[in-house]
Amino acid sequence: MFDVQQTTAGDWAVVAAGARALIVEGQDATALRGLAAAVSSGFAETLEALAADGFARTPSFGLIEGAAGRAMIAVRGPVTATVHTHEGERSIDADGVSTWLEQQVAEATSVTLAVTGLADGAASARPALPLADGIVWAAGVSWGGQTAVQAAAPVAAPEAKRAPITAPVLVEAPADPEQQPEPEPVLVPQAEPEVEAGETRIPDATLSEVTHADAAEPDATGYDHLFGATMMRSVEDAAVRPAEEAEPARIDLPRFITDSAPARPSAEAGDHDGLTIMSGSLDGLRAQDSAQHTAADGAQEAQPPAAPSPRFFVDLADGRREYLEPPIVVGRAPVASTTARGPAPRPVTVDSAERDISRSHTTIAVEGDTVVVTDLHSRNGTMIVLPGKPPQKLRSGEPTAVIAGTVVDLGSGVTLTVGEDA
């Protein structure tokens, strides 16, 4: 968060946070910091903060919440929203509206908020500056993929020129007038290395002749090269003995295989190895297998069926019954925002003569087999009365588990009673 010094009294300020941007008429630094926290919380929370002191003291403003494929817009006073879609351009203003005008535009590509009748030629000539999160003094803001004071057109880089490609040219080599004979190599005698005193040097030629002479000596019989060198052994080593039978390696089988294998017969049963099935044993094996399957089927049928999950609902004071599938958002003018963890909540509107109930006051949802009530930072809070317990006030934004029979009190005589189907 940055602190920006006001340069001119009565200017407009722009507050940006995440996907939302607010342009509001002159406020002091403390009020702007409070609005920045509300803009970070959400669209509905920003409207609640602007109207916290009543409609008579609500300042003129413009609010944008941009997302892929849609834009939420709210304007009040001399602020005009210019919306661009694939079908063209349209304007949204609050002319003739005592509170503010709120609309949702689908397939919006860009939105611009500007103060009508604000003449500042020097400000309009300045280039637009991007704004991600913070507070600045400005009289206009636009959204089109990123939040900025005004969208600036990108400058295309000049395309580099390529050199022209020409066809290859065949160059004929000049003919040799005469073919010169190749020169014969000239042998250059190499200097003999110096020999130290007392050292006898054998000429390299003599060593080469001796090596080649040994390699060229023929075999005595002509077949020794097929059998390799002759190995001399004693008569004892050359004797042929029968190979000793090695004990076969032991293989440890898993328990589930050894338990299912048929038992080996005893030595009194004769030469039967225990793995061969006699024709007389087939009827007994079939009966045993049938009995095992019957016992398994009986065990499965004996298991009791799983009990169905209870279905929860709330009964309103005016006689309506609202089931909690999907979750509900209760308030004077609730706004149902989508969440990544589950289905989008369903708005439920209640009337309040004293206007003590917030626009989005409370959300009620089912998590597993439990009903959870959450106060959405409402103005007067939410009270719950568990069966046989004294009333207690919920903490804002903190989910609280309740049971069937709990009464949720929003104020002004508006209550909801939690129940479940038998």
Side-chain angles (χ1 to χ4, degrees), residues 309-314 321 323 369 371 403-405 418-422:
S309 300
R311 190 180 183 194
F312 293 97
F313 59 85
V314 292
R321 172 169 290 187
Y323 282 91
D369 293 337
V371 179
I403 60 176
V418 180
E420 64 174 307
D421 288 340

Side-chain angles (χ1 to χ4, degrees), residues 241-316:
R241 296 180 176 84
E244 297 180 358
E245 294 183 359
E247 184 179 357
R250 178 182 178 85
I251 301 176
D252 294 330
L253 296 177
R255 185 178 181 85
F256 70 91
I257 296 179
T258 57
D259 292 345
S260 60
R264 289 180 176 269
S266 61
E268 298 177 357
D271 294 337
H272 195 281
D273 57 1
L275 300 178
T276 305
I277 301 176
M278 299 298 181
S279 59
S281 304
L282 290 177
D283 294 337
L285 292 175
R286 291 194 186 100
Q288 182 181 359
D289 184 67
S290 176
Q292 292 177 354
H293 282 288
T294 303
D297 294 340
Q300 292 180 357
E301 293 177 358
Q303 294 179 356
S309 300
R311 190 180 183 194
F312 293 97
F313 59 85
V314 292
D315 288 333
L316 279 72

Side-chain angles (χ1 to χ4, degrees), residues 4-404:
V4 182
Q5 184 180 1
Q6 182 179 3
T7 56
T8 305
D11 281 347
W12 292 67
V14 172
V15 182
R20 289 169 293 277
L22 169 70
I23 178 172
V24 62
E25 194 175 7
Q27 301 283 317
D28 57 10
T30 304
L32 289 176
R33 289 189 179 94
L35 289 175
V39 173
S40 301
S41 300
F43 191 89
E45 289 76 2
T46 306
L47 296 177
E48 289 285 348
L50 290 168
D53 296 333
F55 291 114
R57 297 184 180 181
T58 301
S60 300
F61 67 89
L63 179 61
I64 310 173
E65 181 179 87
R70 69 174 182 85
M72 290 287 295
I73 303 170
V75 292
R76 171 181 169 86
V79 179
T80 302
T82 304
V83 184
H84 294 271
T85 62
H86 297 292
E87 299 178 356
E89 178 181 320
R90 55 180 290 194
S91 297
I92 301 174
D93 55 38
D95 188 15
V97 180
S98 59
T99 56
W100 64 74
L101 183 63
E102 181 179 341
Q103 288 189 10
Q104 180 174 349
V105 182
E107 298 182 358
T109 58
S110 65
V111 180
T112 301
L113 296 179
V115 181
T116 305
L118 186 63
D120 188 357
S124 60
R126 299 190 188 106
L129 298 176
L131 179 62
D133 291 294
I135 306 173
V136 295
W137 295 102
V141 62
S142 62
W143 168 83
Q146 64 178 359
T147 305
V149 176
Q150 184 179 356
V155 180
E159 185 179 358
K161 295 183 178 180
R162 299 181 178 179
I165 301 174
T166 58
V169 180
L170 181 61
V171 180
E172 296 183 359
D176 258 347
E178 284 186 13
Q179 223 176 11
Q180 299 291 338
E182 294 183 1
E184 296 182 358
V186 180
L187 298 177
V188 179
Q190 296 182 356
E192 292 288 340
E194 296 182 0
V195 180
E196 297 181 359
E199 179 182 358
T200 303
R201 178 176 179 80
I202 302 175
D204 294 338
T206 306
L207 291 174
S208 177
E209 291 174 1
V210 173
T211 304
H212 287 292
D214 293 341
E217 184 178 353
D219 297 334
T221 60
Y223 298 101
D224 289 347
H225 66 283
L226 299 178
F227 303 101
T230 303
M231 298 179 63
M232 301 299 294
R233 291 184 180 180
S234 64
V235 177
E236 183 66 22
D237 294 337
V240 179
R241 296 180 176 84
E244 297 180 358
E245 294 183 359
E247 184 179 357
R250 178 182 178 85
I251 301 176
D252 294 330
L253 296 177
R255 185 178 181 85
F256 70 91
I257 296 179
T258 57
D259 292 345
S260 60
R264 289 180 176 269
S266 61
E268 298 177 357
D271 294 337
H272 195 281
D273 57 1
L275 300 178
T276 305
I277 301 176
M278 299 298 181
S279 59
S281 304
L282 290 177
D283 294 337
L285 292 175
R286 291 194 186 100
Q288 182 181 359
D289 184 67
S290 176
Q292 292 177 354
H293 282 288
T294 303
D297 294 340
Q300 292 180 357
E301 293 177 358
Q303 294 179 356
S309 300
R311 190 180 183 194
F312 293 97
F313 59 85
V314 292
D315 288 333
L316 279 72
D318 56 4
R320 287 182 294 167
R321 172 169 290 187
E322 299 290 345
Y323 282 91
L324 304 181
E325 299 174 358
I328 62 173
V329 178
V330 186
R332 182 166 38 86
V335 177
S337 59
T338 59
T339 59
R341 296 188 304 173
R346 179 168 48 89
V348 175
T349 305
V350 294
D351 296 330
S352 172
E354 292 82 4
R355 305 185 68 85
D356 293 337
I357 299 177
S358 300
R359 291 169 55 89
S360 296
H361 197 104
T362 304
T363 178
I364 307 177
V366 178
E367 295 184 1
D369 293 337
T370 306
V371 179
V372 178
V373 182
T374 307
D375 181 80
L376 301 177
H377 303 278
S378 61
R379 184 182 308 172
N380 296 322
T382 303
M383 302 288 293
I384 62 172
V385 182
L386 296 172
K389 301 290 183 180
Q392 60 180 358
K393 187 174 183 179
L394 299 182
R395 294 183 180 180
S396 298
E398 181 175 325
T400 303
V402 299
I403 60 176

